[in-house]
Amino acid sequence: MAYTVYMTHRKGSAVVVRDVHKAFGPTRVLTGVSLEIPRGTVYALLGPNGAGKTTLVHILSTLVPADRGSVTVAGADVATERHLVRQRISLTGQFATVDEVLTGRENLRLMAALLGVPRRDRPGLVEQMLTRFDLTESADRPARTYSGGQRRRLDLAISLLRTPEVLILDEPTTGLDTRSRQQVWRFVRELAEQGVTVLLTTQYLEEADALADRIGVLHHGRIVAEGTPAELKARVGDERVALVDAAGVVVAERVTDGTPAGVARALAELDAVAADRTDLNVDVRRPTLDDVFLALTGETGPEGVGHPTPTGLVRSAS
């Protein structure tokens, strides 16, 4: 059984942020952020590069102070009860922070000792984490020989040597291949099922859609929209039936309510538009998080298939 800390089991929210401001010199990074995360849920914080996601994570984890506003994490104030916050959270950043010289097993043993895991419990816990994160075969190799996916999994294993009340994941799957990313997703779902509150920052829209109970969109230092993935998509508009050419470019589209009759009407209208063209195909499109970001931020980036993707945000590779 994994070594755990006792949950406080207080009802309500695990994270409460109220009107938080932060500037670095003349640069205002956060300009009145407010959000609340219920216990035992996954909350995804999304936004373009430079939106302030990592700054907010650093405030929540007591690494930097807010200029104004209040923050409580796992029932403790980040300004006046930093030691309690640090006992109740675990933070995994964008890059693996393992010791390159030590083996995977040695990294876990060292951190278990530093975290105060009882000596008698350490061997079993280390083996459990190696198995859980698919690191058994590479356990006795130096971490410098690990692939990106292995290093990320080792970093997560270290972060979860004790079960936190709040797990903060700052872009945990950046640079990982599809298989490694899906493994991380599975771990996040398991933790949420166990009652751990997860705050996830990510640039992968598919990741937020797959994992989050609620999503907050951070733009220009503020939360500009918040809701479930379905609620955010509903704000963009209804289902559409589109005609696309061989290059995937939308030639024409019609809004539909998604019913058979509504789709039939849309197809009839598009049939007249298509005329004698034989290079067009029908595509039924539902609003995506890509559409949400484009609508909320007004930013576009590299061209996707049929529509652009907001700057600093990417779809996961399939």
Side-chain angles (χ1 to χ4, degrees):
M1 179 178 294
Y3 177 73
T4 64
V5 295
Y6 290 102
M7 301 291 184
T8 57
H9 293 298
R10 285 188 292 269
K11 293 182 179 180
S13 298
V15 176
V16 180
V17 179
R18 291 283 180 265
D19 194 30
V20 165
H21 294 249
K22 183 64 183 179
F24 295 98
T27 303
R28 299 172 65 195
V29 180
L30 301 177
T31 57
V33 171
S34 295
L35 61 87
E36 199 162 333
I37 306 176
R39 293 181 183 276
T41 63
V42 180
Y43 187 98
L45 186 64
L46 304 185
N49 288 333
K53 300 187 300 296
T54 296
T55 296
L56 183 58
V57 163
H58 287 171
I59 291 172
L60 293 173
S61 52
T62 77
L63 296 177
V64 299
D67 295 335
R68 287 168 45 196
S70 64
V71 179
T72 59
V73 178
D77 189 289
V78 300
T80 61
E81 299 175 297
R82 290 191 295 274
H83 64 293
L84 290 178
V85 173
R86 292 170 183 173
Q87 288 174 6
R88 296 171 183 175
I89 70 170
S90 185
L91 168 65
T92 297
Q94 298 178 25
F95 306 100
T97 54
V98 302
D99 189 301
E100 298 284 333
V101 176
L102 299 181
T103 66
R105 191 187 307 276
E106 290 168 341
N107 267 284
L108 285 164
R109 286 174 177 169
L110 174 62
M111 290 307 301
L114 292 175
L115 289 169
V117 177
R119 185 182 296 272
R120 66 180 179 277
D121 295 336
R122 292 174 199 168
L125 176 58
V126 167
E127 293 307 313
Q128 181 188 38
M129 300 308 282
L130 288 171
T131 300
R132 182 181 184 188
F133 287 88
D134 194 22
L135 292 168
T136 302
E137 292 185 4
S138 58
D140 296 310
R141 285 171 29 210
R144 66 173 177 271
T145 68
Y146 281 20
S147 68
Q150 289 171 323
R151 290 161 64 90
R152 172 55 68 204
R153 294 201 301 275
L154 178 57
D155 199 32
L156 286 168
I158 290 171
S159 298
L160 296 172
L161 280 166
R162 63 177 184 180
T163 305
E165 291 193 47
V166 178
L167 175 62
I168 302 173
L169 301 175
D170 189 16
E171 300 190 13
T173 62
T174 296
L176 296 189
D177 58 33
T178 300
R179 179 175 178 274
S180 296
R181 185 175 299 128
Q182 290 175 344
Q183 285 179 319
V184 173
W185 292 5
R186 185 177 72 249
F187 302 144
V188 171
R189 291 189 187 103
E190 290 174 357
L191 289 167
E193 289 171 358
Q194 295 168 14
V196 176
T197 304
V198 180
L199 170 61
L200 169 74
T201 75
T202 181
Q203 293 187 44
Y204 294 103
L205 304 180
E206 179 188 354
E207 186 162 85
D209 207 356
L211 294 177
D213 296 298
R214 292 185 66 80
I215 294 172
V217 181
L218 187 63
H219 187 53
H220 292 319
R222 288 180 176 272
I223 300 292
V224 296
E226 189 176 41
T228 66
E231 288 170 347
L232 292 179
K233 292 173 191 175
R235 291 179 56 170
V236 175
D238 298 314
E239 188 174 272
R240 287 171 167 77
V241 177
L243 290 177
V244 297
D245 63 17
V249 175
V250 175
V251 175
E253 65 181 4
R254 294 292 184 271
V255 174
T256 171
D257 57 10
T259 65
V263 172
R265 284 193 299 271
L267 287 173
E269 293 179 16
L270 290 173
D271 188 53
V273 175
D276 296 326
R277 293 186 61 171
T278 60
D279 62 330
L280 300 179
N281 292 309
V282 175
D283 181 29
V284 179
R285 292 192 63 236
R286 294 179 175 85
T288 66
L289 287 182
D290 299 57
D291 300 317
V292 172
F293 271 92
L294 186 59
L296 291 172
T297 69
E299 298 185 14
T300 59
E303 289 294 323
V305 177
H307 60 289
T309 301
T311 300
L313 294 155
V314 295
R315 300 182 193 84
S316 299
S318 56

